[in-house]
Amino acid sequence: MAHKLVIVESPAKARTIGGYLGDGYVVESSIGHIRDLPNNAADTPAKIKEKSWGRLAVDVEDGFTPYYVVPRDKKSHISKLKSLLKDADELFLATDEDREGEAIAWHLLDELKPKNIPVKRMVFHEITKAAILEAADNPRDIAMDLVEAQETRRILDRLYGYEVSPVLWKKVMSGLSAGRVQSVATRLVVDKERERIKFKLASYWDLEGTFDRGAAAADSGPRMFPAKLHSLDGTRVASGSNFGQDGQLKAGADVVHLDRTRAEALVSALADTTYEVRSVESKPYRRSPYAPFRTTTMQQEASRKLGMSASSAMSVAQRLYENGFITYMRTDSTTLSGGAVEAARSQVRELYGAEYLPDSPRTYASKVKNAQEAHEAIRPAGESFRTPAQTGLTGDQFRLYELIWMRTVASQMKDAVGQSVSVRLGGPATSGEDVVFSASGRVITFHGFLKAYVEGTDDGGAKDDQETRLPALAEGDAVTAASLSANGHETKPPARYTEATLIKELEEREIGRPSTYASIIGTILNRGYVYKKGSALVPAWLAFSVIRLLEEHFPRHVSYEFTAEMEDVLDEIAGGRKHRVEELTEFYYGSEAVPGLHALVTELGEIDARDNATFPIGDPEAQIFLRVGRYGPYLEGPDDDGNPAGKRANVPDDLPPDELTMEKAVELFANPAGEEIELGTHPETGLRVVAKNGRYGPYVTEDLPDDAPKKAKPRTGSLFKSMSLDTITLDDAVKLLSLPRVVGEVEVEVKAKTGEDGEEIPATTELVEITAQNGRYGPYLKKGTDSRSLTSEEQLFTITLAEANAIYAQPKQRGRAAAAPPLKELGADPVSGQPIVVKSGRFGEYVTDGEYNATLRKDDSVEEITTERAAELLADRRARGPAKKAAKKGAKKAPAKKSAAKKSTAKKSATKKSAAKKTTKKAAAKKS
């Protein structure tokens, strides 16, 4: 039966839209991208492998033609889509309304090659019945300029990554990756840490007091109020902002720098002073509502208020969008449709009252350069908004929806208004100085939009609804100091980036697209260039080595300005004002004005890998260096005999670079990983017993003799948490080396079974040892294959057989009979369509869709893993195929058939541009 085929990206989106379109439509998902440039040599088409540019899969010699392939795990799905297309009388490509969505639509068209049926581009920014039906009634053609821009971005990223990454492999470490935007984001984090390393602390003092207006103030505000020292003899007192990163006062700073002695003397000199109000300055306070969310502001607020990472926020928003709760979440627009404005104003009137509703609707202009105003801001979906309580949502989806709903409603409310007051009060000190204190206050008389929403702040800044009340004061009023104190302060190094502040910085510098920030941050975390300490982003020493190489040999390509300029170029291509091939040619081959990437790589010259990975620590004369090694960072310095590299010590992976001071280096040298502390001779074996600080913590071991068999391994034992290398004794070490300890033997039943000769072997019993062992996840008992956890390490030496039997008599907490519930539930896997959950297994946490399991990597965590990241892990596991099983005897392996991937040869002819026809080659065919 003929039908209209609608293709979207995700199964969840397909289900929702299918319910709105009803009979006559078949809605199917592409499950994300259906093809891409090949990821490895195995996927590269055979006919281009031998080309000089074959590994790039981009013909850099002929118009930068890309060669696309369909991934192996997508081929069966493409067959399914083609089968559905056979019975279709119309094809709607309903992918997202952005450049990436436009490119997916073109790839679908080029791969499916529909014949003799109309092909239409169906676009919408929210998944509601009205929006979907309107989109179906008003389709358009594929916007080829948007496709061109997205393809240019993909080729740029391929050229950068595939040309620069091999340089990192050779000169820094194998397996590293460079990225056009990810490397610049890493540089931002490294530059911030460099500032912290250069930072020198400065101290300064000031005075703080509590002042008393007197009993007369009882009816005009608070009697007591705080104030800070402002000036001495007309000169401002120094504060933290007056100091530079070198710990010195900034040049030209006309301030008084108080130290402790002078500050405390000043307190004494003001003991009997009565102060006079010198000035009172009052002015109206007005704060307008924040604009509705766009992608980056939503990510920042979700981080500040909900503790979500950027990727988590986008994952939750994706589910809200696909299920019809919010509008499209990848947008740089702050525009609201007329219907959305009316919906928000209606809820303001209903929930807060007419006095909170402005006379006319508010409009917001985007501050983002080249914002796509055709899109809307992120808001609740529909022509009338559901309150959070009406949605039925729970967990993270509820919290994020509530945030979006509050922000949208607040954007259509009246300003907050009030009064702000600044007061100066002064008096003479007995030491002769004229001393002035300042106090400021703010009172909000009408909260307006602040009733609905208050934006979060970074670094503990004051919030917009914060109030400080002062008494009613007038010039000439007398006040006294109820208390005065001298307070010392220290300047602070620049704050490290958090996900929220890094996103803000990237956007302000116009680096990358807002829709890519979550994946950029995820990449630099997963690659090990950056790690989290709390919410702060800390660069690894590996990142310092990578950025140094890029800055010295690829300065233009890692500069902030050039990366921002490339976004302008892509916007120009999207607008049809620039051409793809010209821009790619300049990027890769250069011009008279700038060198190209190709020349920089091929004419790289010598790079001293050791020098690139070496960083001086502290005073250069100390000759202590940090080196980035294959197995992590380590220190190297002179020993007592003067050998320049006589001492080495591993640097803990979680020690931030700015904390690796000269003092810390000396401490690490004093107790380096690998250096032995001799404890004595084992009383039973006669072997020397030593303690060491290993990469995974301190441990004790035996020193085997030179003539020991090659297969002999020394006994080792990790120190308990209550032990340290400074205090461990030989007796402690002997105990640790005695593990595992045999607690005793117990009789266990052996079930009846059939022998190899077919004879029935009856059930019987046998003796099995119970041992106490210290493992990776703590102390435990083991009886055959049955393990039970212990509550403390000391139990390893004290537990008795009776106590062990009592533990085994209890039902096992986890196991096949009673599986533990999932640690976290995620969305549906885009390939299998099955729900993904996070579970805890024998070897750690893993994600599963019920068919494939994938272990979480080092930088993944249960709290922050997203559906996208889980799907990525499962896709990687799926690509490796099912677990290998032993081959059956006599089975013959059939020869595998090789299937070469095809180069795209279809014409980009989905749409004709009204302005002019282009003749640029595209995938070996002309584009009309």
Side-chain angles (χ1 to χ4, degrees), residues 465-762:
D465 63 344
Q466 185 171 312
E467 293 184 82
T468 305
R469 292 180 176 272
L470 296 179
L473 295 167
E475 286 188 31
D477 285 352
V479 297
T480 58
S483 66
L484 279 179
S485 62
N487 296 315
H489 306 277
E490 292 180 339
T491 54
K492 295 180 180 180
R496 290 190 180 97
Y497 289 113
T498 62
E499 288 202 20
T501 56
L502 181 57
I503 287 170
K504 186 177 182 181
E505 185 74 16
L506 287 167
E507 185 175 41
E508 287 179 351
R509 289 178 179 266
E510 298 171 358
I511 293 170
R513 296 297 298 179
S515 60
T516 65
Y517 292 158
S519 63
I520 290 167
I521 292 174
T523 298
I524 64 176
L525 286 167
N526 293 333
R527 295 289 184 185
Y529 293 139
V530 174
Y531 63 92
K532 281 190 174 183
K533 187 175 183 182
S535 62
L537 298 173
V538 183
W541 281 107
L542 176 64
F544 277 76
S545 189
V546 167
I547 295 303
R548 173 190 276 178
L549 185 149
L550 295 176
E551 287 174 332
E552 292 180 2
H553 299 281
F554 301 91
R556 178 169 178 256
H557 295 85
V558 79
S559 79
Y560 302 133
E561 296 76 18
F562 171 73
T563 311
E565 287 168 8
M566 288 308 299
E567 293 304 321
D568 291 339
V569 168
L570 293 170
D571 287 332
E572 291 293 294
I573 294 172
R577 296 178 292 276
K578 285 195 175 184
H579 300 290
R580 177 177 70 89
V581 175
E582 292 173 8
E583 299 305 325
L584 289 171
T585 300
E586 181 175 87
F587 176 82
Y588 194 64
Y589 290 115
S591 65
E592 292 182 2
V594 294
L597 180 64
H598 180 65
L600 290 175
V601 172
T602 55
E603 302 167 13
L604 197 57
E606 289 298 317
I607 297 177
D608 187 331
R610 181 176 174 82
D611 186 59
N612 184 73
T614 301
F615 301 88
I617 301 298
D619 187 348
E621 292 184 5
Q623 291 295 292
I624 294 177
F625 299 97
L626 178 132
R627 301 197 191 279
V628 179
R630 182 179 178 184
Y631 301 107
Y634 64 93
L635 289 172
E636 196 172 77
D639 60 15
D640 296 337
D641 298 327
N643 298 317
K647 279 186 177 180
R648 284 191 175 186
N650 284 337
V651 175
D653 291 336
D654 59 351
L655 180 69
D658 76 321
E659 294 180 21
L660 185 55
T661 59
M662 179 66 78
E663 294 74 21
K664 186 65 178 179
V666 170
E667 179 186 326
L668 292 171
F669 276 133
N671 191 15
E675 188 164 306
E676 299 177 349
I677 301 173
E678 186 167 347
L679 300 177
T681 303
H682 198 288
E684 296 174 7
T685 64
L687 297 175
R688 191 169 72 104
V689 178
V690 296
K692 295 184 178 183
N693 190 14
R695 187 161 184 80
Y696 301 104
Y699 66 100
V700 294
T701 186
E702 294 174 316
D703 191 6
L704 295 178
D706 294 338
D707 59 353
K710 288 185 178 180
K711 292 184 178 180
K713 292 184 178 180
R715 293 185 295 173
T716 62
S718 296
L719 268 62
F720 288 175
K721 293 176 182 176
S722 58
M723 300 175 177
S724 72
L725 289 173
D726 296 330
T727 59
I728 191 169
T729 65
L730 177 62
D731 289 341
D732 293 331
V734 170
K735 281 186 175 183
L736 293 173
L737 293 173
S738 71
L739 297 173
R741 177 175 76 91
V742 177
V743 178
E745 291 183 331
V746 293
E747 230 177 37
V748 298
E749 182 182 350
V750 180
K751 294 181 179 179
K753 60 182 180 180
T754 304
E756 290 184 3
D757 56 1
E759 186 177 345
E760 187 72 19
I761 300 174

Side-chain angles (χ1 to χ4, degrees), residues 234-248:
T235 303
R236 286 286 301 265
V237 174
S239 63
S241 61
N242 298 122
F243 293 88
Q245 295 296 313
D246 58 358
Q248 303 298 313

